[in-house]
Amino acid sequence: MYKIKLRAETIVVAADLVGTLVFAIEGALSAMRGGLDLLGVMVISFVAALGGGVIRDLLIGATPPNAIRDWRYPVLTFLAGFFTFVFHSTVQAFPAEWMLVLDAAGLALFAVAGVEKAILFGIRPFIAMLMGTVTAVGGGVVRDILLSRVPAVLQVDIYATAAFFGALVVLAARRLGLSPGAAAFVGGAACFTLRMVAVTRGWHLPRA
Amino acid sequence: MYKIKLRAETIVVAADLVGTLVFAIEGALSAMRGGLDLLGVMVISFVAALGGGVIRDLLIGATPPNAIRDWRYPVLTFLAGFFTFVFHSTVQAFPAEWMLVLDAAGLALFAVAGVEKAILFGIRPFIAMLMGTVTAVGGGVVRDILLSRVPAVLQVDIYATAAFFGALVVLAARRLGLSPGAAAFVGGAACFTLRMVAVTRGWHLPRA
Amino acid sequence: MYKIKLRAETIVVAADLVGTLVFAIEGALSAMRGGLDLLGVMVISFVAALGGGVIRDLLIGATPPNAIRDWRYPVLTFLAGFFTFVFHSTVQAFPAEWMLVLDAAGLALFAVAGVEKAILFGIRPFIAMLMGTVTAVGGGVVRDILLSRVPAVLQVDIYATAAFFGALVVLAARRLGLSPGAAAFVGGAACFTLRMVAVTRGWHLPRA
């Protein structure tokens, strides 16, 4: 029992750190296209990377949120924003395909980390899936609100849908008897695969 | 004492469910006019219906918020968003007058439910009135923020004012010795009446 | 020990009240330029003055937030909004230089109050500095979101930077052995001075 809990916590931490870096860099690039100054770029890096987790933690009552309790998270995102600002020509030279793949990986990692943390806090399955989705896309929503745009995730694309699907697979795999580690892996792979297939095939949800 | 508390809680639940459905459908229609996809419509349904209660619960320290603890609330709003999307021609054929009346009813129900819940959590009168108002109009504010508009409630109309007035009447009626149930009814009626009169007579607050 | 704690709490309260009034009046003027009605102006006064503190309190787990627990804060901001609306020609006749000075004072007071409160709640230094900054600029960010604009603080000017610098000086002064009161004074002076010098010399952070 103890071992399983420890394992789940380790997954949460590792997934959080990797996803955080990817989303912080993307947030910084987005803020620079919006013409913000250095501070604005660093703030958007922070918000885009950690906003989803902060919203999840406020909702499940895990205050202070992890992103605030553990100083390494904000420092990591501020540094990511700073270095993206300084070396932006290098960062922007990254092939767009790489960024898409890394973003899909971040999405999968955050969705899994979010559903894991909600389970650790005793949240029921359906709400835990929502919390996984909020963790994965919440930062992007706050980023778009700060840039005064309708959040991209509400308009097009299989994006939040992929996060929700991944969270669903995590819970289904656990219900079927897989270990927490295996369930997290299968769920993350499901989210990543659905996102990449949707991008390459141009899948969209219907619009009014 | 026990009986009174139970009564107040029943009022909170019933008012919450009816108001939730009305606001979810209105949110979905608003999101569809904004060109969002199916997921966006469902998210706006959720936010428009439950956002006010979530803000209230975060502010009074009632975490996890009711809308997150009880899976029936999010499921209800997602289904409302889904069916509004699918059958939107039917829904949009509703006479506008009906929607205005239902919306005023939802406003009154949420304002009363909000002030009741704040009282149950030991919040003082003036703040409890603010919490009733936030419950009633908070969802619409978050909906408008996500649709990248200045919240309608801040610009025109006797709307938040009606919610605040209804919350005030609930507290005044209790102070005058009415039972919680009677006070809730009188306060809801006051909010509904002020809203409907303001709409039909075209009353507005002054602008700069 | 008891005396020191009391002293720090007194500083928090006094700084909060003065800064609140300044930010509420500025928020009201901003809302009136945006064409909001009387209620909208009063809400923006509340949000601009107290939004930063509410976000800080939610993040550090101090619920209900002070702005909600103590009815004098919302009443003060609503009255400031109301009187700014009614006497706006008088208020707008204030020389712009005065407003700049008062705003810089409010910024310094809020940054200091925010970092003090975070320390009282056992928050670690780096995060306490962030909380001071959030207290100082958070209200303006929410105000701009409600007015559907990219928050000014993310775009130009040494503003949040000055708040962060002031919070940093508070902590450094305490580390160097100054009393909490002296540290607060030095930190506030540092924030105020940096802000005023930046305005008069036209200092900006680099943009992409």
Side-chain angles (χ1 to χ4, degrees), chain C residues 80-180:
Chain C
F82 181 80
F83 284 111
T84 305
F85 188 90
V86 174
F87 301 110
H88 71 275
S89 49
T90 314
V91 176
Q92 277 175 327
F94 275 9
E97 292 78 24
W98 281 34
M99 290 309 287
L100 265 172
V101 173
L102 284 174
D103 183 76
L107 186 77
L109 292 163
F110 270 36
V112 171
V115 77
E116 298 279 352
K117 178 151 190 187
I119 294 169
L120 282 177
F121 272 74
I123 305 291
R124 304 275 202 96
F126 178 70
I127 307 293
M129 287 187 272
L130 289 188
M131 292 301 101
T133 313
V134 163
T135 308
V137 308
V141 168
V142 182
R143 175 201 66 201
D144 287 346
I145 289 174
L146 287 175
L147 296 173
S148 202
R149 318 194 278 225
V150 178
V153 74
L154 299 179
Q155 292 187 90
V156 284
D157 262 1
I158 306 292
Y159 192 81
T161 311
F164 187 80
F165 178 63
L168 177 70
V169 170
V170 170
L171 288 170
R174 281 179 170 226
R175 193 65 58 98
L176 292 172
L178 269 69
S179 71

Side-chain angles (χ1 to χ4, degrees), chain A residues 58-59 61 126-127 130-131 141 145 148-151 153-157 160-161 205-208, chain B residues 32 35-40 43-44 54 58 63-65 68 71 74-75 78 85 145-148:
Chain A
L58 289 179
L59 289 176
F126 178 70
I127 306 294
L130 289 188
M131 293 300 102
V141 168
I145 289 174
S148 203
R149 314 193 281 225
V150 178
V153 73
L154 299 179
Q155 292 187 90
V156 283
D157 263 1
T161 311
L205 289 177
R207 293 174 76 155
Chain B
M32 290 172 75
L36 301 197
D37 67 9
L38 174 57
L39 178 97
V43 169
I44 298 288
V54 167
L58 289 179
T63 52
I68 299 297
W71 60 270
V75 167
F78 289 141
F85 188 90
I145 289 174
L146 288 175
L147 296 172
S148 203

Side-chain angles (χ1 to χ4, degrees), chain A residues 11 13 30-31 36 38 44 57 77 125-126 135 143 150 152 165 168 170 198-199 203:
Chain A
I11 295 167
V13 169
S30 185
L36 301 196
L38 174 57
I44 298 288
D57 287 350
T77 59
F126 178 70
T135 309
R143 176 201 65 202
V150 178
F165 178 64
L168 176 71
V170 170
V199 168
W203 287 355

Side-chain angles (χ1 to χ4, degrees), chain A residues 133 137 141 150-162 164 204-208, chain B residues 23-49 77-85 139 142-147:
Chain A
T133 312
V137 310
V141 168
V150 178
V153 73
L154 299 179
Q155 292 187 90
V156 283
D157 263 1
I158 305 291
Y159 193 81
T161 311
F164 187 80
H204 292 290
L205 289 177
R207 293 174 76 155
Chain B
F23 282 12
I25 292 170
E26 287 188 319
L29 291 174
S30 184
M32 290 172 75
R33 279 192 296 272
L36 301 197
D37 67 9
L38 174 57
L39 178 97
V41 169
M42 289 168 72
V43 169
I44 298 288
S45 289
F46 172 84
V47 160
T77 58
F78 289 141
L79 287 179
F82 181 79
F83 285 111
T84 305
F85 188 90
V142 182
R143 175 201 66 201
D144 287 346
I145 289 174
L146 288 175
L147 296 172

